[in-house]
Amino acid sequence: MIHSIDPGILFLQEEDVIKAGALDMKMTIETVEKTYALLGQGQVINPPKTHIGMPIGSGADWNSFFNSMPCYIGGDVNIGGTKWAAESKKNSAIPGIPYGIDITILSDPETVLPFCILDGTLITAMRTSAVAGVFAKHTAPADTKAVTLVGAGVIGRTMIMAVCESLPQVETIYLSDLDLSKAEGLAAEYKDVYPAEIVPTADAKTAALASQIIITETTARKPFLDQSWVKPGVTVINMGSMEAELDVVTASDVIAVDYWDQIITYETKAAAQLYKAGKLTKDTVVELSDMVLGKWGGRTDPAQVINCSSLGLGALDIMIGYQLFLNAQKMGIGTPLKLWDKPLWE
Ligand SMILES: NC(=O)c1ccc[n+]([C@@H]2O[C@H](COP(=O)([O-])OP(=O)(O)OC[C@H]3O[C@@H](n4cnc5c(N)ncnc54)[C@H](O)[C@@H]3O)[C@@H](O)[C@H]2O)c1
């Protein structure tokens, strides 16, 4: 980090972010792993995200929301920043606009000057699935050959990338969605991109029962994955909020979360509901940092069912955003902006 009083800000729109490497899943997974390692080593300040659901009074039944996700990363990174994240249910039905839209700001921790503002939408899509990929890598049953993905939206797309990158042994990815044409579209688009065959299906439960890993990334507003989907020895990974019945989570032998301190603050997450009901405590879950730092030894019995869930960490967006900023600087891309020519008051 260069500590300068230059008020210059590099703005990276989505096209720049792509040129800087945002679609590189290998880099994204490596950065996710590094971030969770730093988190587990106490090198990250990442308070729970602040959530604003709209309209007023809608509670968990929001139509749209804004999340503020500030963080500081220490260690050899030494950078601050925040993601301003948003999702809108209406966007799912409007062509030309994503369901989730995010922007990321990177700041120098010494001068506290912002030095980069970048589109965070693609970073979110990539890092969200990369988190599932890291969960999958650490929890995959030994005989993993098939994975079922439920949800063929933006995160469904990057989930294909994350699964293929994390689990090269996978031969079949079943892809399901309420709107089967979306699954068919992604299957056609990713045909021959990876060695795994992508099979669209309207019958997610049958696919799940033929798979060793089930990953959900839907906008479902009520749970659809019940105990009848879960056979002994599988890993279930829930990236949305209301996908698995609470019973599925409580019946799991191992419950893993991305970051306990944050996930328990988010009322729609199963872990938060179970914690509030006194049915789940921090010492009974495995956190992703534990996996990445090798503090968790894996399944102790091949029949164990593992449930993983994530809420998403602002530190991931900042770490990946910083890497893309460095790449963009080297490549000379982006639009230079500045906060002031000379600050009026100092
Ligand atoms: N954990 C995280 O870090 C994180 C980060 C970003 C997004 N997410 C979550 O990921 C989910 C997907 O986001 P997205 O941007 O891909 O949305 P999207 O609108 O692009 O896609 C969602 C897909 O889910 C499908 N769907 C909805 N209900 C379903 C059901 N019951 N069964 C099968 N398919 C169903 C929809 O048809 C749609 O294709 C959202 O819940 C979002 O909040 C999680």
Side-chain angles (χ1 to χ4, degrees):
M1 186 68 254
I2 306 156
H3 303 300
S4 148
I5 61 162
D6 174 2
I9 297 173
L10 188 65
F11 177 71
L12 300 176
Q13 67 181 59
E14 187 172 279
E15 289 76 3
D16 299 326
V17 163
I18 293 169
K19 279 186 208 148
L23 301 183
D24 180 344
M25 184 53 84
K26 186 170 183 292
M27 176 280 285
T28 307
I29 288 175
E30 285 166 2
T31 311
V32 164
E33 288 171 331
K34 176 165 184 183
T35 309
Y36 280 98
L38 287 169
L39 182 73
Q41 290 160 345
Q43 291 297 323
V44 175
I45 303 172
N46 195 116
K49 51 183 88 171
T50 303
H51 173 80
I52 298 171
M54 297 160 285
I56 287 171
S58 54
D61 198 24
W62 45 261
N63 289 336
S64 58
F65 72 68
F66 294 118
N67 281 348
S68 172
M69 301 165 66
C71 77
Y72 167 72
I73 298 148
D76 60 351
V77 184
N78 189 27
I79 186 174
T82 191
K83 175 162 93 163
W84 180 239
E87 293 181 5
S88 169
K89 276 202 278 185
K90 272 195 183 155
N91 287 7
S92 293
I94 306 174
I97 186 168
Y99 171 76
I101 300 176
D102 310 315
I103 194 151
T104 302
I105 302 172
L106 307 177
S107 295
D108 181 326
E110 299 271 328
T111 61
V112 297
L113 278 167
F115 61 88
C116 183
I117 299 176
L118 66 164
D119 167 65
T121 308
L122 290 182
I123 299 173
T124 301
M126 293 292 289
R127 65 72 154 154
T128 297
S129 296
V131 166
V134 178
F135 270 133
K137 198 157 88 174
H138 289 276
T139 63
D143 60 344
T144 297
K145 290 274 184 285
V147 176
T148 288
L149 304 183
V150 189
V154 170
I155 308 294
R157 170 190 295 273
T158 51
M159 202 60 80
I160 295 171
M161 302 162 79
V163 166
C164 292
E165 186 67 42
S166 303
L167 302 172
Q169 73 271 35
V170 167
E171 293 170 359
T172 310
I173 296 176
Y174 298 106
L175 181 59
S176 175
D177 196 288
L178 284 182
D179 179 350
L180 186 61
S181 69
K182 289 178 87 169
E184 288 168 343
L186 278 187
E189 193 181 323
Y190 280 84
K191 187 172 164 16
D192 301 331
V193 173
Y194 296 106
E197 186 190 4
I198 298 160
V199 180
T201 175
D203 186 354
K205 181 173 155 181
T206 300
L209 290 170
S211 300
Q212 292 74 44
I213 300 179
I214 308 162
I215 309 179
T216 58
E217 59 281 333
T218 73
T219 44
R221 304 299 291 221
K222 60 177 192 290
F224 56 86
L225 195 164
D226 64 28
Q227 200 54 34
S228 68
W229 290 46
V230 182
K231 61 180 184 188
V234 293
T235 291
V236 178
I237 304 175
N238 302 126
M239 304 309 288
S241 280
M242 301 192 204
E243 300 175 311
E245 301 271 5
L246 280 187
D247 290 358
V248 171
V249 182
T250 48
S252 302
D253 300 289
V254 178
I255 299 175
V257 298
D258 60 341
Y259 182 39
W260 172 263
D261 290 352
Q262 175 178 256
I263 205 164
I264 55 164
T265 68
Y266 216 74
E267 61 184 278
T268 54
K269 287 283 174 182
Q273 291 166 25
L274 294 172
Y275 166 67
K276 271 198 183 145
K279 293 181 181 166
L280 198 64
T281 53
K282 185 170 185 168
D283 56 337
T284 57
V285 301
V286 180
E287 292 187 277
L288 194 48
S289 307
D290 299 332
M291 293 183 179
V292 168
L293 290 171
K295 292 183 182 172
W296 178 68
R299 270 188 182 77
T300 51
D301 183 316
Q304 283 186 319
V305 171
I306 301 180
N307 182 278
C308 309
S309 60
S310 109
L311 178 58
L313 203 65
L316 298 173
D317 302 277
I318 303 310
M319 284 281 281
I320 295 165
Y322 186 42
Q323 186 57 53
L324 299 180
F325 163 77
L326 294 174
N327 294 349
Q329 248 193 341
K330 271 193 215 139
M331 297 166 81
I333 56 176
T335 307
L337 308 172
K338 52 163 114 159
L339 270 188
W340 48 64
D341 288 325
K342 183 179 181 320
L344 183 60
W345 293 327
E346 49 183 278

